[in-house]
Amino acid sequence: MGAYARLARLPPPTRRNAELAALVRRVASLHDSRIAMERGSEVWLKIDADQIEQVFINLISNARKYCDAAEPQLRIAVRQKGGRVVVDFIDNGA
């Protein structure tokens, strides 16, 4: 069990300035053009873009998996709210 835990552990984050909506758009473009991005203000954060990108890939994959099969819809919004950054993944799944 200990060996698996060591293997599954993420490396320490390498933080650099990244514009969050641009990162989300890049990940969304890997999936398909039916993902709608809501336009918001630019949000720059000092993050490990590679690790956050993987989180977004997983969220988009999960949302797409559970969308309405006949007409899948996924919308992503990046916004600031009360001093926090919020990224909403909204799908039409059950």
Side-chain angles (χ1 to χ4, degrees), residues 4-64:
Y4 177 75
R6 283 190 299 279
L7 177 65
R9 229 175 254 137
L10 289 174
T14 303
R15 297 173 194 264
R16 62 186 186 277
N17 286 327
E19 204 283 301
L20 202 55
L23 191 144
V24 173
R25 278 192 301 275
R26 184 171 60 245
V27 172
S29 73
L30 299 173
H31 289 269
D32 77 40
S33 60
R34 291 179 292 178
I35 298 174
M37 279 287 303
E38 290 187 10
R39 297 276 182 211
S41 60
E42 282 190 357
V43 177
W44 286 86
L45 299 171
K46 192 166 190 166
I47 57 174
D48 185 316
D50 295 333
Q51 288 182 2
I52 298 298
E53 198 170 89
Q54 187 60 54
V55 169
F56 291 158
I57 288 169
N58 293 346
L59 287 168
I60 290 171
S61 294
N62 187 61
R64 303 269 307 151

Side-chain angles (χ1 to χ4, degrees), residues 57-78:
I57 288 169
N58 293 346
L59 287 168
I60 290 171
S61 294
N62 187 61
R64 303 269 307 151
K65 182 177 178 179
Y66 294 103
C67 276
D68 180 312
E71 191 175 330
Q73 295 175 6
L74 175 58
R75 191 177 40 152
I76 305 170
V78 176

